[in-house]
Amino acid sequence: MMKINNNVALVFGISGDQGQSVASGLLAAGSYSRIYGVTRDVSRDRIEAIAKRMSVPVEVDDGAAGDNTLAGDSVAKHVTIIDADLNNAASLRRVFVRSRATDIFLVTTTDVPTEGAAMGSFHESEELEYESIKTFFDVLVEVHKKEWTEGEGANMRLERHVIFSTMDNVKGLVEFLELHAGAYTNDDINDLRSMKPLDDGGIVPHFSGKGRGGEYALKLIHGVADPWKRPPTPELLKSPWMNDSAPTPSIISGLSLTLIKLPFLHYNFALSAVPLPTTSEGRATQWSISTCLGDPSNPLDMFSVSDLKYIAPTLFQQFEQYQGRTIKLTGEKITMDEVAYEFSDLFGKDIIYSPLTLEEMSMLNIPEGRAFSQMCQYLASPYSDHDLKETRAIMSACGRDPQTFHSWLLSHSDEKTFEKVGLTSDATPIQCVAVFNALSLQGESVIKGLVADTRKQFIINACVCGNDNKDDSKQQHELEAKVKHIQSLDPERISIHYTNLDDMDSCVRALKGTEGVFLVTDFKYPHPQLLHHDLEMEDQEERQARVVIDACAVSGTVKHLVLSRMEAADDVDNELKDSGADSKALLGVKARLAAYARAKHISMTYVLMPMYSEQFFHALAEKICDGKKRDDASNANKDVGVDESKDEKVVCMSAESLGPAVANIFDSYEVYSGHEIGLVSDILSIKEATETVHQIFFESPSSEPSSVHDAGTSLAHSNYRLDIVAQDLGQMFRFYSKMDAVKERDLIAKTLKLVPDAKSFKSWLEDNRDNAEFREMLGLR
C-alpha cells in the first residue's frame, strides 16, 4: 500500500457552507490521514445535519489523542467532529494539541444582534468576533512555538499552514479615507467616505471584525504592517487589500498564513436576496430582486462557495507560493440585470432587478437593516474588486473553472426558498385572448395564429375600432367587410367587440373573461421614410395603449399582455430629437409603456417587429413601376443621402409570422414574461433585395409584361428600374439600418426557435411568385 503524508486537517466552521465545502475537498484530495471538523455544537441533531448536507460519513471524536504517526498507511474516509469554542483559549489549545493538525482552515461568523437578544449592538458583535480571531491565532502561535522549542525530534515539530476566510476591514478603510480627505477626489471614494456609521459607531461590522482579525494575524505571523499606517499613495488606494504577488515569508518558523476573501455569494439569492413576488388580485405577476447592489449594469464580483473544495487543497499543497498573501477570490463579474435575466430564463417568470435605496434598506424593520445597507454600498464600490485571473489560475491546478451564476442557479433550482416564493409553480394556462386592433395587419395575423394553434382551442375577442364617420357609406361598408372576414376565420371561437380605445370602460368590457391580451400600438404608423412623422398620432397611440394597460390591471382576469410595436418607432423618436424636432420625453414610447405596465404589475412580453416583408415588397414594386428613368442616378443618390458602397442592411419578416409567434408566447407566457423579443427572419441590403425580386419575378419564363402598362415596360426596362430603386428607397433603408436588431445577428436564430416556419425574404417571395396581386404590382401577367 502506498504510504501517504501524515497530514491532518482541522476545519473550523464545519456547520457552515464554507467549512463543509473545504472538508469535502480535502477528503477528495486523498492526502490526509485524518480530517477534523470543528463546531461548538456536537449534539446528535447537529451531527446528522452536517452528514446530510455533506453527503459523506461523519463521526464524533472518541476522545483519544490524535496521533497522526499511527495513520501513515491510511487515508481519511470520513470527517471526525470535534468540539471547540473560539472564545475559549483552553478549548482551542486542547484541539490544536490533540489533533496535531498541519493544515487548518478558519472561518468565523458574526453573532448579529436580533430583537430580544441579550447583546445590545453591532459594535459588541464586531468586538466579540475580533477578539475570538485574536484568541485563535494567539493560542495557535503559543502551541506552535512550544512544540518547536520544547519538542524533541523533527516528528514533534509540525509545519502548519492556515487559511483564514476573512473580509475587508471597511471601517479601517473609511477612517483612512476620512483622515486623508484631501488626497483623493474620486466620486466613488467620496461616496464611501459619506457612509454613515451605525448608532454605535460600527461600519459594516460583520466585515470589519473579520478584516481587523486578518490584519492582526498577518502582522503576528508574517510581520505585515498595518495597511492604515501607510501613506495615502494611489497604489494603496487602488488596492488596499492585496499584497504583492510574491509571497511574504513568515517570521515564525514552520507557521504560515494565507488570507482569502469572498465576494457576494451565489447562495445569497436563495436567502436574503431571493426574488420576491409582487401580487395583483391575489396572484403573483412579477418577482423583484430588491437587494441594493448598485447600478443594474455595474458588474459585481460573485462566487460559489462550492469552489472552495478545489481552492483550499491547492492553497494547502502550494502554501509556499501563497503564504503571507491576501487573495480576493471571485467566480465571475456579473451585473444584476444579468442575474435577473438568468432567473427569468430558468423559471419562466417576469423577474427584474428593482433595488431598494440604501435609505429604504436601512429603514427595514429588521435589526441588521442598517448594517446590511452599509454592506451593499460597499459591495457596489470599486474597493470590493476581486481577482478573477488569480482565482482561475488557482483552480486550473485541478482542471476546474470557477462556477458561474448560471451554473449555480441550474444546480440549485430546487431550493425550497424558490418554491416558497412561487418561482417553481406552474402557470395557469391562457385560454381566452383579446386582440386589439383586430383589423390591422398584425391583428389579423395574431388571430390566424391563435386559430391555427392545435395545442388548445383559443377563444378570441376581436376588438375592433368602430367607424368614426358613419355617414361615409363606403368606409362603413369596408369596415363591415373586414369584420365579416375576420369572424369567418372561425365563427365559433371569434367574437367581435367594438371598442373605443379612449374609453377604459369600453376596453374593460372587451376584456371580460380574457386571460391574454395582444395590443399593437403603431397600427396607424405612416410609411417610415421619416418625412411626415406625426407626433400627435404618436401621443394618441401611447395614450390609448395606457388605457388598455389600465383595463388589464382592473380586469381581474388578465394574466399576460403581449405588446407589439415596430422597433423603428423609437428610432424615429431619436431621429427627430437629433434633428431638433419637438419630442415630449427622452424615453421612447416603448420604454415608457414597458415601465407603465410594470408599475401596474402586468406580466408583459414586448414584441419588436421589423419592416414587414409585405411592406418591403410593396415599396420595391412601387418604385419599379413608378415612371421613367431618372436622368442622373448618382446625383439622385446624393439627394437622398445614400452611400451605396456601404451596402446598408435592413431587417425584415413577414407579418404572417407574427401570429404563430404570439400563439407560442401565450402558450408559454411565463417563459417569455419580461422579455423583449426582436423578430427577424432576414437581414439584407437594397442591392440584395432588388436582385432577389428580379431573380424570382423577372427571370421566370412566365413573367410577361401586363397589358395595363406601356409596351415599354419590358423585362429590360424593369431590370433598369431595379437599378434605380436604391435611390428612391435609400432614406428608408438608412433609417431601418440603424435599428439595433441589424447588429443582433442571432435574432434570426431566436426568431426561428419561436417561429420555426418563419421565412426569409427570398422564401417568402418564392411562395408568392404566382400571387396575382404581387404580379400586378410589378406589371406582370
Side-chain angles (χ1 to χ4, degrees):
M1 181 180 293
M2 182 181 68
K3 188 177 182 67
I4 66 167
N5 293 328
N6 294 322
N7 293 333
V8 175
L10 188 62
V11 180
F12 285 79
I14 194 65
S15 297
D17 291 317
Q18 291 194 47
Q20 291 174 13
S21 180
V22 169
S24 297
L26 298 180
L27 274 174
S31 55
Y32 294 88
S33 60
R34 185 168 295 182
I35 298 173
Y36 289 99
V38 184
T39 179
R40 287 182 293 186
D41 181 3
V42 291
S43 65
R44 179 184 296 275
D45 289 345
R46 176 56 61 90
I47 302 304
E48 290 178 353
I50 293 172
K52 183 177 181 180
R53 291 190 64 187
M54 292 187 65
S55 299
V56 298
V58 172
E59 66 177 36
V60 181
D61 178 46
D62 59 8
D67 184 359
N68 60 357
T69 63
L70 302 178
D73 292 325
S74 64
V75 177
K77 300 295 185 182
H78 63 266
V79 175
T80 302
I81 304 299
I82 188 170
D83 67 302
D85 185 349
L86 288 176
N87 297 308
N88 187 314
S91 171
L92 289 169
R93 192 175 293 110
R94 174 179 58 85
V95 169
F96 291 141
V97 172
R98 288 178 57 199
S99 68
R100 293 186 54 76
T102 53
D103 293 345
I104 303 171
F105 176 81
L106 173 66
V107 60
T108 61
T109 57
T110 310
D111 293 323
V112 297
T114 57
E115 284 188 295
M119 63 177 63
S121 71
F122 275 102
H123 175 71
E124 293 174 4
S125 299
E126 177 187 335
E127 288 302 312
L128 183 63
E129 184 173 21
Y130 171 64
E131 289 299 329
S132 68
I133 295 168
K134 277 190 62 180
T135 300
F136 174 92
F137 283 103
D138 287 343
V139 173
L140 176 62
V141 169
E142 171 199 320
V143 170
H144 184 82
K145 284 184 174 180
K146 185 176 181 179
E147 287 178 356
W148 277 66
T149 56
E150 299 180 7
E152 296 181 2
N155 189 49
M156 296 300 295
R157 293 182 176 179
L158 298 178
E159 290 196 358
R160 292 182 171 91
H161 186 69
V162 182
I163 298 174
F164 175 29
S165 180
T166 181
M167 300 297 286
D168 291 340
N169 177 7
V170 185
K171 184 175 183 180
L173 173 61
V174 172
E175 290 175 346
F176 177 81
L177 294 175
E178 193 65 42
L179 180 64
H180 301 285
Y184 307 115
T185 59
N186 183 279
D187 289 339
D188 292 314
I189 297 168
N190 291 332
D191 287 344
L192 203 56
R193 285 213 326 261
S194 68
M195 184 181 289
K196 297 178 181 179
L198 303 177
D199 294 339
D200 58 17
I203 296 179
V204 197
H206 52 305
F207 278 30
S208 297
K210 294 179 180 66
R212 290 166 58 205
E215 292 166 6
Y216 175 83
L218 271 181
K219 185 175 182 179
L220 178 68
I221 298 174
H222 290 273
V224 176
D226 186 338
W228 314 122
K229 293 183 179 179
R230 290 178 282 176
T233 61
E235 291 74 23
L236 174 61
L237 183 65
K238 181 179 179 181
S239 182
W241 314 115
M242 299 183 192
N243 297 337
D244 295 333
S245 57
T248 302
S250 174
I251 60 175
I252 300 175
S253 297
L255 180 62
S256 58
L257 168 69
T258 299
L259 299 184
I260 62 172
K261 296 181 178 181
L262 309 187
F264 195 77
L265 299 175
H266 290 150
Y267 71 58
N268 283 320
F269 289 106
L271 300 172
S272 58
V274 67
L276 296 175
T278 301
T279 58
S280 177
E281 302 293 333
R283 58 185 173 82
T285 58
Q286 188 179 87
W287 284 254
S288 299
I289 303 172
S290 58
T291 304
C292 50
L293 290 170
D295 188 276
S297 60
N298 178 43
L300 297 171
D301 286 290
M302 294 190 191
F303 183 77
S304 176
V305 170
S306 62
D307 282 343
L308 288 178
K309 72 176 67 170
Y310 311 109
I311 291 172
T314 300
L315 296 182
F316 281 132
Q317 292 163 12
Q318 302 176 17
F319 72 91
E320 298 96 340
Q321 180 179 344
Y322 298 105
Q323 62 177 332
R325 295 192 53 209
T326 299
I327 302 172
K328 300 196 74 172
L329 300 169
T330 186
E332 64 184 330
K333 295 181 184 295
I334 183 173
T335 70
M336 289 302 296
D337 272 352
E338 289 169 337
V339 168
Y341 174 81
E342 291 290 351
F343 268 112
S344 296
D345 194 50
L346 177 62
F347 293 109
K349 302 290 195 294
D350 185 10
I351 300 173
I352 62 172
Y353 173 55
S354 180
L356 299 170
T357 65
L358 293 171
E359 292 75 15
E360 288 170 337
M361 192 164 188
S362 67
M363 294 173 65
L364 291 175
N365 191 28
I366 53 175
E368 62 270 26
R370 286 280 307 281
F372 285 1
S373 173
Q374 290 179 334
M375 177 193 72
C376 291
Q377 184 178 355
Y378 179 70
L379 289 175
S381 76
Y383 296 103
S384 187
D385 189 46
H386 287 241
D387 195 336
L388 181 58
K389 182 178 180 180
E390 181 153 37
T391 305
R392 285 173 172 164
I394 294 170
M395 293 190 65
S396 67
C398 53
R400 308 287 299 201
D401 288 321
Q403 187 175 43
T404 63
F405 178 73
H406 173 81
S407 175
W408 176 87
L409 191 60
L410 284 175
S411 61
H412 289 76
S413 60
D414 58 350
E415 285 282 343
K416 291 293 185 182
T417 311
F418 298 152
E419 179 182 347
K420 186 176 180 180
V421 299
L423 289 176
T424 59
S425 61
D426 292 331
T428 305
I430 287 175
Q431 190 68 46
C432 183
V433 176
V435 179
F436 282 88
N437 196 41
L439 303 185
S440 68
L441 192 61
Q442 288 197 34
E444 181 176 349
S445 174
V446 168
I447 291 175
K448 288 180 177 178
L450 295 172
V451 168
D453 195 292
T454 58
R455 291 165 294 190
K456 61 181 70 173
Q457 294 287 302
F458 283 105
I459 304 300
I460 303 162
N461 289 6
C463 303
V464 175
C465 296
N467 180 15
D468 294 333
N469 184 11
K470 294 186 179 180
D471 294 334
D472 188 332
S473 59
K474 181 180 179 181
Q475 190 176 42
Q476 183 66 23
H477 178 74
E478 291 176 351
L479 175 64
E480 292 172 355
K482 290 180 180 179
V483 168
K484 185 176 180 179
H485 166 69
I486 288 294
Q487 194 158 25
S488 69
L489 296 174
D490 193 322
E492 293 184 1
R493 289 195 282 153
I494 298 174
S495 59
I496 304 298
H497 297 258
Y498 287 94
T499 309
N500 181 355
L501 293 180
D502 291 311
D503 180 6
M504 191 173 78
D505 290 338
S506 172
C507 294
V508 171
R509 287 193 296 272
L511 294 177
K512 186 176 181 180
T514 62
E515 298 101 5
V517 175
F518 173 80
L519 173 64
V520 53
T521 65
D522 60 333
F523 50 89
K524 295 181 181 177
Y525 208 81
H527 196 279
Q529 292 195 23
L530 302 182
L531 301 178
H532 305 291
H533 183 63
D534 191 336
L535 288 176
E536 183 177 346
M537 186 179 295
E538 181 87 3
D539 290 341
Q540 175 185 324
E541 291 171 2
E542 181 177 357
R543 183 182 68 252
Q544 292 178 343
R546 286 173 180 258
V547 170
V548 174
I549 291 172
D550 287 338
C552 291
V554 302
S555 70
T557 60
V558 173
K559 297 181 177 69
H560 194 69
L561 167 66
V562 176
L563 190 59
S564 174
R565 192 169 192 265
M566 291 183 71
E567 182 172 357
D570 278 344
D571 293 319
V572 172
D573 296 339
N574 296 332
E575 291 281 347
L576 289 169
K577 284 190 280 288
D578 291 343
S579 66
D582 182 31
S583 187
K584 70 176 185 180
L586 293 177
L587 288 175
V589 172
K590 178 175 64 181
R592 292 198 297 271
L593 290 177
Y596 190 72
R598 285 195 185 282
K600 298 289 183 178
H601 307 306
I602 299 296
S603 171
M604 185 181 75
T605 300
Y606 226 121
V607 174
L608 304 181
M609 284 295 290
M611 189 177 195
Y612 308 150
S613 298
E614 292 87 345
Q615 181 186 25
F616 194 3
F617 174 76
H618 291 178
L620 288 169
E622 180 183 347
K623 294 303 176 183
I624 289 171
C625 298
D626 91 357
K628 62 180 184 178
K629 175 179 177 180
R630 297 187 181 183
D631 293 331
D632 191 339
S634 62
N635 286 338
N637 273 341
K638 294 177 182 177
D639 290 340
V640 296
V642 171
D643 180 356
E644 286 185 291
S645 65
K646 292 182 179 178
D647 206 23
E648 295 181 73
K649 302 281 187 176
V650 66
V651 292
C652 66
M653 186 187 78
S654 171
E656 296 170 356
S657 297
L658 175 64
V662 172
N664 286 335
I665 290 171
F666 280 131
D667 187 67
S668 306
Y669 66 96
E670 287 200 338
V671 174
Y672 299 103
S673 182
H675 288 217
E676 183 177 274
I677 302 173
L679 295 175
V680 177
S681 64
D682 209 347
I683 304 176
L684 68 169
S685 66
I686 304 174
K687 180 180 179 181
E688 291 166 343
T690 53
E691 287 177 349
T692 300
V693 172
H694 180 273
Q695 176 187 353
I696 292 173
F697 287 95
F698 291 97
E699 293 182 358
S700 170
S702 62
S703 298
E704 300 177 6
S706 170
S707 59
V708 299
H709 291 287
D710 296 337
T713 308
S714 61
L715 174 59
H717 194 187
S718 296
N719 184 28
Y720 167 77
R721 288 193 174 127
L722 282 166
D723 293 336
I724 66 170
V725 166
Q727 303 166 21
D728 299 284
L729 300 184
Q731 188 172 353
M732 179 178 70
F733 264 75
R734 168 156 293 188
F735 160 58
Y736 273 106
S737 69
K738 291 180 180 179
M739 289 161 49
D740 289 340
V742 176
K743 304 169 187 176
E744 299 290 340
R745 304 289 171 165
D746 63 337
L747 284 177
I748 294 180
K750 292 177 181 178
T751 299
L752 292 176
K753 183 177 180 181
L754 185 63
V755 195
D757 294 331
K759 297 182 182 300
S760 67
F761 184 66
K762 181 177 181 180
S763 296
W764 179 78
L765 285 180
E766 287 173 341
D767 286 348
N768 287 280
R769 184 199 306 269
D770 298 323
N771 185 304
E773 181 183 355
F774 279 39
R775 299 181 67 79
E776 185 175 347
M777 287 181 187
L778 293 168
L780 302 172
R781 295 186 184 277

mmCIF file of all heavy atoms in Angstrom, residues 382-396:
data_model
loop_
_atom_site.group_PDB
_atom_site.id
_atom_site.type_symbol
_atom_site.label_atom_id
_atom_site.label_comp_id
_atom_site.label_asym_id
_atom_site.label_seq_id
_atom_site.Cartn_x
_atom_site.Cartn_y
_atom_site.Cartn_z
ATOM 1 N N PRO A 382 -15.721 50.327 -5.898
ATOM 2 C CA PRO A 382 -14.561 49.694 -6.529
ATOM 3 C C PRO A 382 -13.622 49.004 -5.546
ATOM 4 O O PRO A 382 -12.809 48.175 -5.943
ATOM 5 C CB PRO A 382 -13.858 50.877 -7.226
ATOM 6 C CG PRO A 382 -14.322 52.092 -6.506
ATOM 7 C CD PRO A 382 -15.728 51.797 -6.074
ATOM 8 N N TYR A 383 -13.724 49.307 -4.243
ATOM 9 C CA TYR A 383 -12.845 48.681 -3.260
ATOM 10 C C TYR A 383 -13.154 47.198 -3.089
ATOM 11 O O TYR A 383 -12.338 46.447 -2.580
ATOM 12 C CB TYR A 383 -12.980 49.381 -1.911
ATOM 13 C CG TYR A 383 -12.518 50.805 -1.962
ATOM 14 C CD1 TYR A 383 -13.436 51.836 -2.016
ATOM 15 C CD2 TYR A 383 -11.165 51.110 -2.009
ATOM 16 C CE1 TYR A 383 -13.017 53.147 -2.093
ATOM 17 C CE2 TYR A 383 -10.739 52.421 -2.084
ATOM 18 C CZ TYR A 383 -11.671 53.439 -2.134
ATOM 19 O OH TYR A 383 -11.247 54.727 -2.223
ATOM 20 N N SER A 384 -14.348 46.802 -3.491
ATOM 21 C CA SER A 384 -14.741 45.404 -3.344
ATOM 22 C C SER A 384 -14.289 44.562 -4.528
ATOM 23 O O SER A 384 -14.711 43.421 -4.680
ATOM 24 C CB SER A 384 -16.268 45.304 -3.184
ATOM 25 O OG SER A 384 -16.659 43.990 -2.893
ATOM 26 N N ASP A 385 -13.434 45.115 -5.374
ATOM 27 C CA ASP A 385 -12.978 44.408 -6.574
ATOM 28 C C ASP A 385 -12.167 43.171 -6.200
ATOM 29 O O ASP A 385 -11.315 43.212 -5.313
ATOM 30 C CB ASP A 385 -12.135 45.348 -7.433
ATOM 31 C CG ASP A 385 -11.817 44.750 -8.785
ATOM 32 O OD1 ASP A 385 -12.739 44.207 -9.423
ATOM 33 O OD2 ASP A 385 -10.654 44.822 -9.210
ATOM 34 N N HIS A 386 -12.430 42.057 -6.890
ATOM 35 C CA HIS A 386 -11.735 40.803 -6.626
ATOM 36 C C HIS A 386 -10.971 40.348 -7.865
ATOM 37 O O HIS A 386 -11.160 40.884 -8.957
ATOM 38 C CB HIS A 386 -12.729 39.731 -6.180
ATOM 39 C CG HIS A 386 -13.250 39.939 -4.795
ATOM 40 N ND1 HIS A 386 -13.068 39.029 -3.784
ATOM 41 C CD2 HIS A 386 -13.946 40.965 -4.239
ATOM 42 C CE1 HIS A 386 -13.623 39.478 -2.674
ATOM 43 N NE2 HIS A 386 -14.172 40.645 -2.928
ATOM 44 N N ASP A 387 -10.109 39.365 -7.685
ATOM 45 C CA ASP A 387 -9.149 38.977 -8.720
ATOM 46 C C ASP A 387 -9.593 37.693 -9.432
ATOM 47 O O ASP A 387 -9.334 36.583 -8.957
ATOM 48 C CB ASP A 387 -7.776 38.785 -8.078
ATOM 49 C CG ASP A 387 -6.662 38.752 -9.113
ATOM 50 O OD1 ASP A 387 -6.948 38.421 -10.282
ATOM 51 O OD2 ASP A 387 -5.510 39.052 -8.758
ATOM 52 N N LEU A 388 -10.276 37.852 -10.563
ATOM 53 C CA LEU A 388 -10.763 36.696 -11.314
ATOM 54 C C LEU A 388 -9.608 35.932 -11.957
ATOM 55 O O LEU A 388 -9.623 34.695 -12.000
ATOM 56 C CB LEU A 388 -11.753 37.165 -12.388
ATOM 57 C CG LEU A 388 -12.388 36.084 -13.251
ATOM 58 C CD1 LEU A 388 -13.132 35.060 -12.398
ATOM 59 C CD2 LEU A 388 -13.333 36.702 -14.284
ATOM 60 N N LYS A 389 -8.606 36.652 -12.420
ATOM 61 C CA LYS A 389 -7.477 35.993 -13.085
ATOM 62 C C LYS A 389 -6.759 35.042 -12.135
ATOM 63 O O LYS A 389 -6.453 33.895 -12.493
ATOM 64 C CB LYS A 389 -6.499 37.047 -13.620
ATOM 65 C CG LYS A 389 -5.319 36.464 -14.366
ATOM 66 C CD LYS A 389 -4.418 37.563 -14.902
ATOM 67 C CE LYS A 389 -3.221 36.974 -15.656
ATOM 68 N NZ LYS A 389 -2.329 38.047 -16.175
ATOM 69 N N GLU A 390 -6.511 35.495 -10.904
ATOM 70 C CA GLU A 390 -5.805 34.628 -9.959
ATOM 71 C C GLU A 390 -6.686 33.471 -9.500
ATOM 72 O O GLU A 390 -6.208 32.353 -9.305
ATOM 73 C CB GLU A 390 -5.319 35.423 -8.750
ATOM 74 C CG GLU A 390 -4.554 34.556 -7.762
ATOM 75 C CD GLU A 390 -3.542 35.320 -6.937
ATOM 76 O OE1 GLU A 390 -3.826 36.469 -6.577
ATOM 77 O OE2 GLU A 390 -2.471 34.749 -6.648
ATOM 78 N N THR A 391 -7.994 33.725 -9.331
ATOM 79 C CA THR A 391 -8.896 32.638 -8.954
ATOM 80 C C THR A 391 -8.865 31.534 -10.001
ATOM 81 O O THR A 391 -8.802 30.341 -9.681
ATOM 82 C CB THR A 391 -10.330 33.165 -8.794
ATOM 83 O OG1 THR A 391 -10.351 34.251 -7.867
ATOM 84 C CG2 THR A 391 -11.259 32.069 -8.302
ATOM 85 N N ARG A 392 -8.911 31.927 -11.272
ATOM 86 C CA ARG A 392 -8.859 30.930 -12.346
ATOM 87 C C ARG A 392 -7.535 30.172 -12.339
ATOM 88 O O ARG A 392 -7.494 28.954 -12.584
ATOM 89 C CB ARG A 392 -9.066 31.614 -13.691
ATOM 90 C CG ARG A 392 -10.519 32.033 -13.948
ATOM 91 C CD ARG A 392 -10.635 32.844 -15.216
ATOM 92 N NE ARG A 392 -12.034 33.076 -15.567
ATOM 93 C CZ ARG A 392 -12.430 33.992 -16.439
ATOM 94 N NH1 ARG A 392 -11.529 34.758 -17.066
ATOM 95 N NH2 ARG A 392 -13.716 34.139 -16.706
ATOM 96 N N ALA A 393 -6.441 30.902 -12.058
ATOM 97 C CA ALA A 393 -5.131 30.248 -12.037
ATOM 98 C C ALA A 393 -5.066 29.209 -10.923
ATOM 99 O O ALA A 393 -4.519 28.112 -11.111
ATOM 100 C CB ALA A 393 -4.043 31.307 -11.851
ATOM 101 N N ILE A 394 -5.607 29.525 -9.757
ATOM 102 C CA ILE A 394 -5.599 28.580 -8.633
ATOM 103 C C ILE A 394 -6.420 27.342 -8.980
ATOM 104 O O ILE A 394 -5.997 26.205 -8.755
ATOM 105 C CB ILE A 394 -6.139 29.251 -7.361
ATOM 106 C CG1 ILE A 394 -5.191 30.363 -6.902
ATOM 107 C CG2 ILE A 394 -6.325 28.230 -6.244
ATOM 108 C CD1 ILE A 394 -5.750 31.236 -5.794
ATOM 109 N N MET A 395 -7.597 27.547 -9.552
ATOM 110 C CA MET A 395 -8.477 26.415 -9.851
ATOM 111 C C MET A 395 -7.981 25.595 -11.034
ATOM 112 O O MET A 395 -8.333 24.414 -11.163
ATOM 113 C CB MET A 395 -9.901 26.912 -10.088
ATOM 114 C CG MET A 395 -10.553 27.482 -8.842
ATOM 115 S SD MET A 395 -12.319 27.798 -9.038
ATOM 116 C CE MET A 395 -12.960 26.132 -9.268
ATOM 117 N N SER A 396 -7.185 26.203 -11.891
ATOM 118 C CA SER A 396 -6.678 25.463 -13.053
ATOM 119 C C SER A 396 -5.757 24.329 -12.626
ATOM 120 O O SER A 396 -5.543 23.376 -13.385
ATOM 121 C CB SER A 396 -5.941 26.406 -14.000
ATOM 122 O OG SER A 396 -4.743 26.895 -13.404
#
